[in-house]
Amino acid sequence: MDFSTTELAEIVSTRTCHDLIGNIGTLKNVLELIEPNTPLDSDTQNLLDGVSFVLNARQKFFRMAFGLETHAATAEDLLKLCADYVSTVGTHGYPIQLNLRGASPQLSKPVCLCVMIAADVFIRSGSIDIDINKDNITVRAVTDFKFNENEIADYQKIIANQRPESNISQYAQLIYLRNVLGENVPMKLNVNANEMTLVIG
């Protein structure tokens, strides 16, 4: 499954815009309702703070995941960047926990893409564990609820070198990771009702 440079750029830009546009629209609407020279009430301030956090966290994360020649300064910075992003993905009241082991700043791009791959399969809360060693990267997602079955089915198609039938931009993270690592790097996906494991390498 080959994508031209233009197709890959379209897939990534569509996904990132999709994930930012809702909060940009909320910010625009709130700002239009604020009266000039009027103090903000606590509800409005909290809404603005929340929207600003989501936009900031996602923009920084997408820059790291899809940007050119980017990596975190330290492993701690990488963990915070990924944890902040994950906190914007989970359903309100159903947080997703994140654990990184063996992640170095030099691996910032694949780590971010793996975090995004795992985060997208949750419907509610769960945990993401990413272990990196000299042989492979293991991405494990666990939930007490169900996974997004359509997402996982399309992941399996992409790993099998097949194109999903629709909404291909929502799989930008996996498509881009395959492009970054190269088609010869093996990927294996195992799934049961409450656990998904992706082994890369």
Side-chain angles (χ1 to χ4, degrees):
M1 180 178 58
D2 294 323
F3 293 94
S4 70
T5 303
T6 301
E7 285 179 307
L8 196 58
E10 290 171 341
I11 289 167
V12 169
S13 62
T14 301
R15 172 59 196 264
T16 54
C17 288
H18 174 273
D19 283 15
L20 295 174
I21 194 65
N23 283 278
I24 291 173
T26 300
L27 181 60
K28 177 180 180 292
N29 291 338
V30 172
L31 292 175
E32 286 177 349
L33 294 173
I34 295 174
E35 295 290 336
N37 303 316
T38 303
L40 296 179
D41 60 64
S42 61
D43 288 342
T44 302
Q45 185 64 59
N46 289 338
L47 181 58
L48 287 174
D49 290 344
V51 169
S52 297
F53 175 82
V54 170
L55 289 173
N56 188 47
R58 290 187 178 183
Q59 184 274 330
K60 287 181 178 178
F61 181 86
F62 292 148
R63 174 76 175 92
M64 190 73 69
F66 299 112
L68 183 65
E69 297 178 359
T70 58
H71 62 80
T74 67
E76 290 76 19
D77 289 342
L78 178 58
L79 175 58
K80 183 179 187 315
L81 179 86
C82 292
D84 284 351
Y85 169 76
V86 167
S87 74
T88 74
V89 176
T91 304
H92 184 69
Y94 295 96
I96 299 170
Q97 303 299 317
L98 174 65
N99 299 296
L100 300 181
R101 285 180 285 275
S104 66
Q106 291 73 26
L107 296 173
S108 294
K109 183 181 291 292
V111 167
C112 287
L113 294 168
C114 287
V115 166
M116 200 172 171
I117 288 166
D120 269 16
V121 301
F122 291 107
I123 294 175
R124 291 189 177 175
S125 60
S127 64
I128 299 170
D129 291 281
I130 299 178
D131 290 292
I132 301 172
N133 58 50
K134 62 183 180 65
D135 297 317
N136 55 47
I137 299 173
T138 301
V139 182
R140 186 169 171 258
V142 179
T143 185
D144 291 330
F145 302 94
K146 293 194 304 183
F147 286 123
N148 183 329
E149 294 177 359
N150 292 333
E151 191 91 9
I152 290 176
D154 283 334
Y155 280 177
Q156 290 170 323
K157 286 183 180 179
I158 293 167
I159 290 171
N161 212 28
Q162 301 169 10
R163 285 186 182 232
E165 294 178 9
S166 62
N167 297 325
I168 197 165
S169 65
Q170 78 184 66
Y171 311 112
Q173 62 278 16
L174 181 55
I175 292 167
Y176 190 69
L177 181 63
R178 290 207 66 160
N179 184 269
V180 167
L181 297 179
E183 292 288 336
N184 293 329
V185 174
M187 292 187 180
K188 184 177 181 181
L189 186 67
N190 295 312
V191 184
N192 61 38
N194 304 104
E195 182 175 330
M196 179 192 83
T197 303
L198 174 65
V199 180
I200 303 167

